[in-house]
Amino acid sequence: MIQFPENFLWGAAASAPQTEGHSLSNGKSPSTWDQWFSMCPEKFNQGQGPETTSNVYEMYRQDIERMATLGLNSYRTSIAWTRLLPDGQTINQEAVSFYRDYFQTLKRYGIEPIINLFHFDMPWWLMKKGGWETRISVDAFSTYAATAFQLFGDLVTKWTTFNEPIVHIESGYLQGYHFPAIVDMQKAVQVGYHTLIAHFRAVEKFRAAGINGEIGIILNISPAYARSKSPSDLEAKKLADLISSKSFLDPCVLGEIPQELKEYLNRAGLSPVTQKGDQKLIRENPVDFLGINYYQPMRVKSPECPNFPPTTLSDIFESYDWPERRVNPYRGWEIYPAGIYDVAKMIKEDYRNIPWYIAENGMGVADEERFADEAGVIQDDYRIDFMREHLLQLHKGISEGSNCFGYHTWTFVDCWSWLNGYRNRYGFYKVDLMRDYQRTIKKSGLWFKDMIRNRGF
Ligand code: BGP
């Protein structure tokens, strides 16, 4: 039997755009996702867009009761910027009532809300002005953050600024999965820099507002493992870690953008435009805690055709198939539980053992109805095995002193997954899109309930 500490946070994570629905009503303005879907619905799995998702806007109270039944003591979701401030300035009072009741209901059931501000959902009005490419976005985000702190600071004591900031940078400006779906290294770097500064400005606002609580950031950390010990593979690993992990980890926790990253960008002629005062801002506003999303490692090798200055990521490092890998075939992601232990060790050794928690971990599977028993309960033993294996490794990291305070799965009820629509399901509850979003517990939900009660397994 392994046991986790008392007061450990057990919960699940989600985001506003993937769960709420009502994405173009109730005073909300479109995000890039709403707009992109109206422009190119064919890009989305089975034409499933973000307009209804899992209808949490109407069903949050019942969902919270379900969370309480499973024994969750914490839950992370986000505020939709476009719902709270549809034009970036004017407060939507209906959104205020919605979020206040959402957060109050969580608290009433003993579930701590962890509230994130940005989960890939750039407002369309701001995107039209250039989104994160322009410095305007930094001011706009800090106005939004300050408004959220002021409106909900009495209810929320754990805040995060961004979920996986590296994803909207890479997916939007290098890989084509998020709007504007272009490949432009220079813009990607600038978008990354503005996102980073926007994070710091929000932290600064938080401190200035004197809110009773803590603020952090949620980063997806996929540790890089090199194909071989050859200098070129090791160099590829170093660059992969620098770009994908350290670019945010170092400034957010240690107060400095890695010198090696700055030098690399400088040599490549890709340094971002900065402003006076940025360095001080970065140095003086470390986060209180980290959320780490861990799904998979990166397996990297040196590029077949290295190119400098790089124009795409594969000019810098390439992925390769580790011969011993196990893969989740639905998502194509490697399953490597030991990676979570390596992350725990890294936070302890390289990031001053800052308090952190697993903010997302989970397994997306398609066509899960195949696994339903006569009562309609999906027998998702694969998901239970996945969690068990990852929790074992996390437990090992904690026993060796890593300061981890919780474990959240992705996700509570099945939700909408960007271009993948509802293809891969992750939830403890199945959502039936044909029957008014009816929720049905899966076997993994029952397993998680037992696990929470015993603080382990
Ligand atoms: C994380 C995101 C989530 C969620 C999850 C599962 O990267 O923070 O928003 O979507 O991954 O990934 P996907 O939905 O692409 O299968």
Side-chain angles (χ1 to χ4, degrees), residues 260-324:
E260 278 183 300
L261 181 60
K262 287 200 273 194
E263 282 164 15
Y264 179 85
L265 293 174
N266 191 25
R267 272 200 316 280
L270 290 169
S271 297
V273 178
T274 62
Q275 278 187 11
K276 200 163 159 265
D278 287 355
Q279 258 197 0
K280 185 168 181 282
L281 181 76
I282 295 174
R283 209 172 37 240
E284 294 180 354
N285 290 287
V287 288
D288 299 314
F289 71 95
L290 282 175
I292 303 279
N293 296 351
Y294 176 76
Y295 288 93
Q296 56 166 345
M298 271 196 286
R299 302 281 173 191
V300 299
K301 63 176 183 182
S302 59
E304 297 296 330
C305 314
N307 193 19
F308 192 86
T311 54
T312 76
L313 277 181
S314 58
D315 290 339
I316 309 172
F317 59 87
E318 278 179 14
S319 55
Y320 86 104
D321 290 344
W322 183 46
E324 291 166 51

Side-chain angles (χ1 to χ4, degrees), residues 208-272:
I211 305 277
N212 166 35
E214 300 178 300
I215 190 156
I217 187 166
I218 296 170
L219 303 175
N220 51 315
I221 301 298
S222 293
Y225 300 92
R227 172 182 55 181
S228 75
K229 291 204 159 52
S230 76
S232 58
D233 282 347
L234 290 177
E235 177 68 10
K237 171 205 152 39
K238 190 180 81 186
L239 288 170
D241 278 334
L242 263 181
I243 292 168
S244 303
S245 301
K246 289 169 171 283
S247 53
F248 278 86
L249 264 177
D250 282 29
C252 294
V253 182
L254 307 175
E256 214 171 351
I257 299 172
Q259 196 54 32
E260 278 183 300
L261 181 60
K262 287 200 273 194
E263 282 164 15
Y264 179 85
L265 293 174
N266 191 25
R267 272 200 316 280
L270 290 169
S271 297

Side-chain angles (χ1 to χ4, degrees), residues 55-209:
N55 199 20
V56 161
Y57 195 78
E58 291 178 38
M59 298 174 82
Y60 63 97
R61 290 202 194 94
Q62 298 97 303
D63 279 348
I64 292 169
E65 277 173 31
R66 291 183 183 97
M67 291 175 204
T69 310
L70 294 201
L72 267 54
N73 60 11
S74 49
Y75 184 68
R76 189 250 301 190
T77 186
S78 66
I79 295 172
W81 185 352
T82 46
R83 190 181 297 289
L84 189 63
L85 295 177
D87 61 4
Q89 293 291 337
T90 320
I91 296 174
N92 171 10
Q93 288 304 336
E94 182 176 332
V96 178
S97 312
F98 164 64
Y99 287 118
R100 284 198 69 82
D101 192 54
Y102 196 166
F103 305 156
Q104 262 158 350
T105 310
L106 282 164
K107 285 170 73 95
R108 209 166 40 247
Y109 280 90
I111 300 167
E112 174 162 17
I114 301 179
I115 300 305
N116 179 45
L117 294 173
F118 187 88
H119 199 120
F120 311 160
D121 51 343
M122 165 62 66
W124 183 248
W125 63 264
L126 181 52
M127 193 69 209
K128 282 195 290 189
K129 298 182 180 171
W132 296 117
E133 286 174 46
T134 84
R135 185 88 186 195
I136 302 170
S137 59
V138 174
D139 294 330
F141 185 74
S142 75
T143 300
Y144 159 50
T147 309
F149 301 147
Q150 189 226 324
L151 290 169
F152 310 114
D154 59 327
L155 297 174
V156 177
T157 52
K158 271 198 168 48
W159 291 90
T160 57
T161 54
F162 284 83
N163 174 77
E164 303 190 346
I166 205 76
V167 169
H168 68 254
I169 303 162
E170 290 184 351
S171 295
Y173 295 85
L174 295 171
Q175 296 164 332
Y177 302 130
H178 289 198
F179 193 84
I182 55 174
V183 179
D184 188 321
M185 202 46 112
Q186 183 72 69
K187 283 187 178 171
V189 172
Q190 194 64 56
V191 161
Y193 186 74
H194 286 151
T195 303
L196 187 70
I197 298 299
H199 157 80
F200 279 103
R201 285 278 295 281
V203 174
E204 188 185 49
K205 289 272 186 211
F206 182 81
R207 309 271 182 236

